[in-house]
Amino acid sequence: MDISRIFENNQKWIVKKLEVDKDYFKNLSEGQNPEILYIGCSDSRVSSEELMGVQPGEVFVHRNIANMVPNTDLSAMSVINYAVTHLKVKHVVVCGHYYCGGVKAAMQSEDLGLLNPWLRNIRDVYRLHKDELNSIQNEEEKYNRLVELNVQEQCVNVLKTSDVQKAFRERNITVHGWVWDIHSGELIDLKIDFDKILKDIMEIYHLS
């Protein structure tokens, strides 16, 4: 890629937007009021706004390797705080994708240097669900199931945060776990039963 072409593309994009709406950028500059916080993977093949068919200003986006929400990550916690408490989003989405490089790397037993502490979070997901995962003989199916279970556990991490718990009590915010199928382009709602999952842990994580 010729990096200078990016600026040429930007100018063409500006012209196209103004042809449709002469006040497009004026309206954008007046602020944002998104209803969705989207937490997704940094994978270059996954474009969050494009796969959802939404426009700038409609979704607040946070992306990192393997769509993780560890409570020790100040960036993820700050994004959740800002989106939920200040922007007052109505939905929080954690979206993974099949054939995720981060999840695949976590399944390997090799030393990956600086990535080790980050990928350990995914390995913890494997540990929590090892009986189910170890029963899957097909490696590709096991890999994709770990992608789904990782989304589930990151949704649980979202629900553990004080910001989301308060928003749930005050305005019934909802959390969703999705996976994007990179082979078909289909966005899949995992329809996770959070009431069932959280039943045994809310005594510990519930805030009064």
Side-chain angles (χ1 to χ4, degrees):
M1 177 187 289
D2 182 353
I3 200 76
S4 65
R5 289 191 60 189
I6 290 175
F7 296 94
E8 296 173 12
N9 293 340
N10 171 252
Q11 292 303 309
K12 292 175 184 176
W13 175 73
I14 291 171
V15 170
K16 286 181 180 178
K17 289 297 183 183
L18 293 177
E19 285 176 350
V20 175
D21 179 4
K22 64 183 178 61
D23 294 322
Y24 181 80
F25 296 104
K26 177 179 179 291
N27 293 334
L28 273 186
S29 67
E30 290 176 354
Q32 59 176 326
N33 188 32
E35 294 192 357
I36 299 171
L37 165 59
Y38 173 97
I39 300 172
C41 183
S42 296
D43 194 304
S44 62
R45 300 165 296 175
V46 183
S47 175
S48 52
E49 290 88 349
E50 188 173 3
L51 68 89
M52 289 188 288
V54 297
Q55 298 299 315
E58 294 184 329
V59 179
F60 197 68
V61 177
H62 176 71
R63 296 173 67 179
N64 60 42
I65 294 173
N67 42 272
M68 302 299 294
V69 191
N71 70 301
T72 53
D73 180 15
L74 186 59
S75 178
M77 293 299 106
S78 298
V79 165
I80 290 172
N81 172 265
Y82 185 71
V84 173
T85 303
H86 300 282
L87 295 178
K88 300 202 178 295
V89 297
K90 297 178 181 178
H91 306 273
V92 179
V93 171
V94 177
C95 186
H97 66 98
Y98 294 135
Y99 306 98
C100 175
V103 172
K104 189 170 186 178
M107 291 178 70
Q108 313 305 314
S109 58
E110 57 185 284
D111 184 353
L112 295 169
L114 186 61
L115 279 173
N116 286 336
W118 187 261
L119 297 179
R120 191 175 299 128
N121 294 293
I122 307 173
R123 289 170 179 152
D124 285 340
V125 173
Y126 197 113
R127 175 178 54 82
L128 288 170
H129 299 276
K130 69 175 184 177
D131 290 342
E132 177 186 350
L133 291 166
N134 287 345
S135 70
I136 302 173
Q137 299 302 312
N138 183 285
E139 283 300 309
E140 187 172 308
E141 290 178 10
K142 181 186 294 188
Y143 171 22
N144 286 339
R145 182 56 180 151
L146 181 55
V147 166
E148 296 173 350
L149 290 169
N150 183 52
V151 167
Q152 175 180 300
E153 292 301 328
Q154 302 319 308
C155 286
V156 171
N157 286 343
V158 169
L159 287 161
K160 289 175 184 176
T161 65
S162 59
D163 296 293
V164 172
Q165 289 192 34
K166 290 175 184 175
F168 179 76
R169 289 199 301 269
E170 293 171 1
R171 50 192 177 83
N172 205 30
I173 192 173
T174 54
V175 176
H176 311 265
W178 298 349
V179 169
W180 185 57
D181 187 343
I182 205 163
H183 277 177
S184 68
E186 183 181 5
L187 196 57
I188 301 164
D189 186 348
L190 295 177
K191 300 185 185 300
I192 301 168
D193 186 348
F194 291 116
D195 289 337
K196 180 179 179 182
I197 292 169
L198 294 174
K199 185 177 181 180
D200 295 330
I201 68 171
M202 285 312 291
E203 181 181 352
I204 300 169
Y205 294 103
H206 178 69
L207 298 177
S208 58

